[in-house]
Amino acid sequence: MKRIFTFLLVMAAVAVNAQSIKLFYGETPMNNNDTVFVPVDGHSDQTDAFFGYQNLTGSALEFRVKKEVIFHGDEADFSFCIGECYTGNLSMVLNLDANEVVSSTDGMGLHTIYMGPAEPALVKYTFFRTDNESDAVSFYIGYSTGTSVRESDVMKVLRAYPNPAVSSVNIDFVAPEHNAFLVIKNLTGKEVYRTAVSNVGRKQISVSSFSPGVYLYGIEADGRMMCTKKLLVK
């Protein structure tokens, strides 16, 4: 009886966390919260990316698309089209038939648009059901300027929040494509966290094992710290 009860709990959890919509970058399937890197060179007026999606259920559903600009340059502008084009952050209600697939080249595929100078930016897009907003799938577009990342870009983008942090912290970053790391040290210089990073993105880091106090976090490239900022852990 105990095994049956445990099995039902597991199945219930799977049902709650199941995603009704699958996303594709071109023809490549994406996982929830994947990051797609799109280069910007400053020579084009507009930088485009295209995405497809699929209804994984056996019944029709209604959904909307939400845009969230995490960080951007001073003159950057973001919009998206999915059937219609939007300069705001939320699409109208859209429909998907049972098991319907919309390709990235279809007129109803998601078309994202970046207009502005060659500066790093991070934008999040979320597809969610209108009858159950927790049934959602998201991805990030990291607009990358390539390997020539300036220290001024790192300083501008690097941000930790919440700060002070209690159990976890999100850190936004921009970094060179190769030999770059996000590093956290305490005030004695002892390293407490290190992970390889590249381009543009966000890392969520657990700080529950950190001792309360002040830490320094930053981007290390080719063995040299490009930028450091303070993080307070309570």
Side-chain angles (χ1 to χ4, degrees):
M1 187 69 181
K2 183 178 180 180
R3 289 181 178 178
I4 294 174
F5 180 69
T6 302
F7 174 77
L8 291 175
L9 284 178
V10 171
M11 293 304 294
V14 170
V16 168
N17 294 313
Q19 294 169 355
S20 296
I21 300 175
K22 182 73 174 178
L23 302 179
F24 300 86
Y25 180 39
E27 302 301 321
T28 304
M30 294 195 297
N31 296 315
N32 192 31
N33 290 322
D34 272 358
T35 300
V36 171
F37 297 110
V38 176
V40 290
D41 57 17
H43 300 300
S44 303
D45 293 334
Q46 181 172 308
T47 301
D48 304 282
F50 299 89
F51 302 84
Y53 48 94
Q54 178 183 5
N55 181 357
L56 297 178
T57 75
S59 57
L61 61 84
E62 293 183 339
F63 71 99
R64 302 181 82 176
V65 178
K66 178 172 63 176
K67 177 189 73 181
E68 178 186 358
V69 179
I70 308 300
F71 58 79
H72 61 88
D74 294 335
E75 300 178 12
D77 182 60
F78 306 89
S79 59
F80 67 99
C81 304
I82 184 165
E84 298 183 11
C85 292
Y86 304 90
T87 56
N89 296 326
L90 192 63
S91 76
M92 63 182 290
V93 176
L94 302 159
N95 298 281
L96 269 176
D97 292 333
N99 303 308
E100 182 180 0
V101 179
V102 177
S103 73
S104 60
T105 57
D106 189 290
M108 285 299 295
L110 175 65
H111 172 197
T112 64
I113 303 165
Y114 168 89
M115 300 185 71
E119 294 185 349
L122 186 66
V123 183
K124 181 180 181 181
Y125 286 93
T126 301
F127 285 61
F128 63 92
R129 292 185 60 148
T130 56
D131 59 348
N132 179 12
E133 293 190 15
S134 63
D135 186 347
V137 59
S138 302
F139 71 95
Y140 295 85
I141 300 180
Y143 291 98
S144 171
T145 56
T147 56
S148 58
V149 174
R150 299 169 297 183
E151 291 196 13
S152 59
D153 290 333
V154 178
M155 177 66 75
K156 183 189 301 183
V157 171
L158 191 65
R159 181 171 70 110
Y161 57 94
N163 191 3
V166 178
S167 59
S168 66
V169 63
N170 297 296
I171 297 182
D172 295 336
F173 65 87
V174 60
E177 290 186 358
H178 306 290
N179 301 319
F181 299 87
L182 174 60
V183 178
I184 303 177
K185 298 180 179 181
N186 63 22
L187 290 184
T188 68
K190 180 182 178 181
E191 190 173 291
V192 297
Y193 180 85
R194 171 182 288 262
T195 188
V197 293
S198 64
N199 292 301
V200 180
R202 168 189 285 182
K203 286 286 184 182
Q204 184 176 65
I205 302 165
S206 172
V207 296
S208 56
S209 63
F210 290 17
S211 299
V214 178
Y215 293 81
L216 297 176
Y217 68 96
I219 298 297
E220 177 187 292
D222 293 322
R224 181 179 68 86
M225 294 301 296
M226 297 183 69
C227 172
T228 57
K229 293 186 178 182
K230 288 184 179 180
L231 167 67
L232 177 61
V233 175
K234 288 188 174 181

